[in-house]
């Protein structure tokens, strides 16, 4: 477990989990949100993001926190471990609600409102995003794969390390 990607719906708790995994393992942690977004909520061009991501993935060890569906195949090609948080939308919606108004090291701006488009994305994540994720996982065999269906599953994994 040297090159780890953490995938899942927004609000699942990927960043909190990633931080705890980093603390247990000492593996360098990169939050893709801090790579992609600027403090004003705008983002860098995709070409620049892709180049910076490729440079990061050249390192021998990393934890990449963030779903970023478009980049999953590239990250699957480079990782040895996949940690997938496949949670019901209700858990993820509550996760976003709980973080509103709180400064976070993994987010370069302060979320103060729950954008309706973002809420809709989370509500439909299982049927709109997860089938493709599972297809890609099948296309990259040989990875250490852990699928969590609850926060308790993820916590148990961390305790087992």
């Amino acid at each position: 477990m040297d090159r780890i990607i953490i995938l899942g719906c927004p609000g699942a708790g990927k960043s909190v989990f990633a931080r705890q995994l980093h603390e247990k393992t000492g593996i360098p942690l990169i939050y893709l949100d801090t790579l992609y977004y600027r403090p004003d909520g705008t983002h860098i061009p995709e070409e620049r993001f892709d180049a910076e991501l490729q440079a990061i993935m050249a390192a021998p060890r990393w934890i990449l926190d963030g779903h970023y569906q478009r980049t999953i195949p590239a990250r699957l090609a480079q990782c040895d471990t996949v940690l997938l948080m496949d949670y019901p939308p209700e858990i993820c919606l509550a996760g976003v609600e709980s973080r509103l108004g709180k400064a976070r090291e993994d987010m370069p701006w302060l979320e103060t409102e729950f954008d309706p488009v973002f809420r809709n994305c989370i509500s439909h994540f299982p049927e709109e995003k997860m089938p493709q994720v599972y297809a890609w996982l099948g296309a990259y065999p040989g990875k250490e794969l852990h699928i969590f269906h609850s926060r308790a599953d993820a916590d148990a994994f961390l305790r087992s390390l």
Side-chain angles (χ1 to χ4, degrees):
M1 208 169 68
D2 290 311
R3 296 172 148 204
I4 304 162
I5 62 174
I6 302 173
L7 306 174
C9 184
K14 296 180 301 294
S15 298
V16 171
F17 179 86
R19 207 168 14 263
Q20 293 168 337
L21 182 62
H22 162 71
E23 289 168 3
K24 280 196 162 270
T25 64
I27 298 171
L29 170 58
I30 295 90
Y31 298 113
L32 294 183
D33 281 344
T34 61
L35 184 64
Y36 187 62
Y37 287 102
R38 296 177 178 127
D40 66 0
T42 62
H43 58 81
I44 65 173
E46 285 184 355
E47 301 78 26
R48 182 172 155 206
F49 176 79
D50 292 348
E52 290 184 23
L53 180 59
Q54 286 299 322
I56 289 165
M57 290 191 302
R61 300 182 85 209
W62 35 257
I63 299 168
L64 294 178
D65 161 56
H67 192 78
Y68 288 77
Q69 186 109 351
R70 179 183 69 75
T71 68
I72 290 174
R75 290 183 288 142
L76 279 171
Q78 299 295 320
C79 76
D80 60 31
T81 305
V82 179
L83 306 174
L84 173 61
M85 297 179 158
D86 188 358
Y87 298 168
E90 300 77 34
I91 291 174
C92 301
L93 289 165
V96 172
E97 289 281 354
S98 72
R99 71 188 191 198
L100 292 176
K102 297 177 183 172
R104 299 168 32 214
E105 71 181 60
D106 57 285
M107 179 73 67
W109 79 91
L110 183 65
E111 287 179 299
T112 57
E113 297 178 332
F114 202 159
D115 175 55
V117 173
F118 188 42
R119 181 184 297 274
N120 190 54
C121 171
I122 292 169
S123 295
H124 296 286
F125 197 89
E127 66 268 12
E128 291 181 358
K129 303 291 185 181
M130 290 306 275
Q132 182 63 66
V133 171
Y134 279 101
W136 282 327
L137 291 174
Y140 290 88
K143 308 294 180 184
E144 182 178 338
L145 173 62
H146 299 273
I147 301 173
F148 310 123
H149 294 286
S150 69
R151 291 209 168 105
D153 290 349
D155 291 344
F157 174 83
L158 288 170
R159 283 192 305 276
S160 75
L161 297 178

